[in-house]
């Protein structure tokens, strides 16, 4: 059952998303070489609370933390680790959700610590552009396959990178993960669930630099938790937005760039 949102609910989710986006922007200013991974967790959790909201990833499937912090070849769902220091040229994805008065939002962003390289710059460019190519297809009457095809064509065919297929986007609100529609980041145009006004989804492509889309499990004994790494140990990046499907086109509810995203804002 797809939970369609009213205009009032979408406005509430946009307020949640604004808190989330602001948290990302403030976090970016703090990231530096030598920073303890745990400081990211503490900052995100405390800042969200200061905005009269909560980090809603806590408690989902037994997860204990506000953030997932995936570094270099880690694709997704890695836990924040106390004592792990960020190194120069580390590629770090920070993913978290916000609950503001019952309204949910979800966004991941990938950062480079210290100095970047041409290889890293290309990876981040491809991952971010693939997100926006997917968003452009999130139109009333299109299908989920249109989103996935646009992402896959750009990542795999044009740039020969790995488009992760085992992890997907999802419906969101009032819970973090709604039953539908599932948002695959690959697919065939004009196939899959038809997009309807009032759907709110996450689009969150994960891109592996090495060209292999496959991932492998990494088990954390202490937390009894499984995260994911690239099968070929290449770098991975992810950019994610919460997006509302409206009659006026897709609307990004977690925008960090009101100028660049102006056509996608409510």
């Amino acid at each position: 059952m797809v939970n369609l949102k009213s205009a009032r609910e979408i406005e509430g989710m946009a307020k949640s998303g604004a808190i989330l986006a602001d948290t990302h922007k403030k976090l970016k200013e703090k990231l530096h070489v030598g920073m303890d991974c745990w400081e990211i967790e503490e900052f995100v959790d405390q800042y969200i609370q200061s905005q009269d909201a909560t980090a809603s990833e806590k408690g989902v499937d037994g997860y204990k933390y506000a953030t997932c912090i995936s570094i270099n070849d880690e694709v997704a769902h890695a836990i924040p680790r106390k004592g792990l220091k960020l190194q120069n040229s580390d590629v770090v994805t920070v993913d978290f959700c916000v609950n503001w008065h019952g309204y949910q939002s979800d966004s991941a962003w990938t950062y480079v610590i210290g100095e970047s390289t041409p290889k890293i710059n290309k990876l981040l460019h491809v991952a971010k552009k693939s997100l926006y190519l997917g968003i452009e297809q999130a139109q009333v009457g299109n299908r989920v396959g249109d989103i996935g095809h646009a992402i896959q064509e750009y990542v795999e065919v044009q740039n020969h990178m790995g488009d992760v297929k085992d992890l997907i986007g999802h419906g969101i609100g009032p819970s973090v993960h709604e039953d539908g529609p599932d948002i695959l980041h690959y697919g065939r145009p004009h196939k899959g669930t038809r997009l309807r006004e009032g759907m709110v989804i996450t689009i969150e492509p994960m891109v592996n630099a090495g060209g292999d889309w496959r991932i492998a499990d990494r088990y954390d004994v202490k937390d009894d938790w499984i995260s994911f790494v690239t099968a070929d140990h290449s770098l991975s990046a992810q950019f994610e937005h919460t997006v509302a499907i409206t009659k006026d086109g897709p609307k990004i509810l977690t925008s960090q760039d009101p100028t660049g995203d102006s056509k996608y804002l409510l």
Side-chain angles (χ1 to χ4, degrees):
M1 177 71 73
V2 175
N3 183 4
L4 300 179
K5 311 301 186 301
S6 67
R8 177 185 59 80
E9 288 172 311
I10 290 173
E11 288 175 2
M13 295 178 76
K15 291 179 180 177
S16 172
I19 294 171
L20 193 158
D22 196 41
T23 308
H24 267 299
K25 289 191 288 186
K26 292 187 181 307
L27 172 64
K28 183 178 180 179
E29 298 172 357
K30 293 181 173 294
L31 295 172
H32 61 271
V33 174
M35 184 178 188
D36 195 300
C37 184
W38 187 251
E39 292 180 57
I40 298 174
E41 166 72 11
E42 289 186 319
F43 170 77
V44 169
D45 196 18
Q46 292 169 10
Y47 185 77
I48 292 171
Q49 290 182 50
S50 77
Q51 303 302 299
D52 190 29
T54 58
S56 46
E57 197 68 42
K58 286 184 179 181
V60 175
D61 296 329
Y63 195 66
K64 301 176 184 177
Y65 307 104
T67 62
C68 292
I69 304 174
S70 303
I71 303 173
N72 293 331
D73 69 337
E74 296 171 341
V75 177
H77 298 179
I79 64 173
R81 287 144 285 184
K82 190 176 293 186
L84 177 59
K85 305 293 186 181
L86 301 181
Q87 304 297 312
N88 190 49
S89 300
D90 273 349
V91 176
V92 180
T93 299
V94 183
D95 185 6
F96 55 93
C97 306
V98 168
N99 180 338
W100 178 79
H101 297 273
Y103 298 106
Q104 300 281 358
S105 58
D106 185 2
S107 178
W109 219 250
T110 298
Y111 305 95
V112 182
I113 306 303
E115 300 170 315
S116 189
T117 68
K119 180 179 178 180
I120 292 172
N121 288 340
K122 182 176 180 181
L123 171 64
L124 268 61
H125 173 78
V126 170
K128 187 175 181 181
K129 184 172 179 179
S130 73
L131 166 64
Y132 279 84
L133 290 171
I135 290 172
E136 184 59 33
Q137 294 299 315
Q139 309 278 351
V140 172
N142 275 3
R143 294 182 180 271
V144 168
D146 295 310
I147 296 174
H149 178 74
I151 292 169
Q152 185 178 19
E153 177 73 14
Y154 183 68
V155 173
E156 293 189 342
V157 178
Q158 296 183 37
N159 286 284
H160 311 293
M161 293 186 181
D163 175 24
V164 173
K165 297 175 175 57
D166 294 325
L167 303 173
I168 63 177
H170 50 86
I172 181 170
S175 61
V176 173
H177 296 99
E178 294 283 303
D179 289 337
D182 290 339
I183 306 300
L184 281 64
H185 303 110
Y186 64 96
R188 297 168 59 193
H190 319 306
K191 300 294 183 180
T193 302
R194 189 177 297 279
L195 300 174
R196 299 165 58 193
E197 182 180 359
M199 288 180 174
V200 181
I201 60 176
T202 69
I203 302 177
E204 46 183 299
M206 286 145 271
V207 178
N208 299 341
D212 189 344
W213 61 265
R214 295 174 301 168
I215 59 176
D217 294 353
R218 178 177 288 171
Y219 180 64
D220 184 275
V221 177
K222 181 176 73 72
D223 282 270
D224 188 26
W225 186 256
I226 294 174
S227 59
F228 304 99
V229 298
T230 56
D232 61 1
H233 303 294
S234 66
L235 298 174
S236 189
Q238 178 189 17
F239 293 90
E240 172 190 13
H241 275 313
T242 298
V243 179
I245 311 300
T246 80
K247 61 181 175 57
D248 298 316
K251 300 300 177 183
I252 297 173
L253 306 184
T254 49
S255 172
Q256 299 180 42
D257 181 9
T259 301
D261 291 343
S262 59
K263 67 180 283 189
Y264 297 120
L265 299 183
L266 289 173

